Amino acid sequence: MGPGAAARYGHWVTESEWAALPEDLDERRLAEVLTGMGIETKPSTLQKWRQRGGGPPWWRMFGRAYYTRDKLRAWLEAQQKVATTRPRRARGEQT
């Protein structure tokens, strides 16, 4: 992933780490992965995100929610925020 969203949360996720993840993760495993990246997450948080909208894209099979590795990565990268305000000037600073 390089210096993307996961790096922003304090953990560099390398390509080999991504490749080592299963293609589809259940909510327990995804919570572990996100927590390992510094995004403290519990399975109950993922459940709330699904109910309220938000969180990574998911799909359901046999009554269980799953998350696809590639969609998770895209979601993490989309979470990066860019400052929308200008930095404040120091007192007396000219423009």
Side-chain angles (χ1 to χ4, degrees):
M1 178 179 262
R8 181 172 152 249
Y9 293 106
H11 179 72
W12 290 90
V13 179
T14 65
E15 291 299 324
S16 61
E17 287 176 309
W18 275 109
L21 289 175
E23 180 64 31
D24 298 307
L25 299 96
D26 64 14
E27 65 187 18
R28 181 191 58 77
R29 181 68 176 117
L30 178 57
E32 291 172 356
V33 168
L34 292 174
T35 298
M37 292 178 181
I39 307 168
E40 197 66 37
T41 309
K42 296 178 182 177
S44 61
T45 302
L46 296 169
Q47 293 166 5
K48 288 177 190 173
W49 287 348
R50 288 196 309 270
Q51 291 170 353
R52 297 177 184 163
W58 60 282
W59 58 281
R60 184 176 301 277
M61 184 170 73
F62 303 119
R64 295 182 67 183
Y66 291 91
Y67 300 83
T68 304
R69 179 182 61 210
D70 294 337
K71 290 183 180 182
L72 168 64
R73 185 177 186 167
W75 178 79
L76 282 168
E77 290 176 351
Q79 301 313 301
Q80 294 183 74
K81 304 291 184 212
V82 176
T84 57
T85 59
R86 293 182 303 202
R88 295 176 62 166
R89 289 186 299 230
R91 201 172 262 191
E93 182 180 331
Q94 298 293 321
T95 56

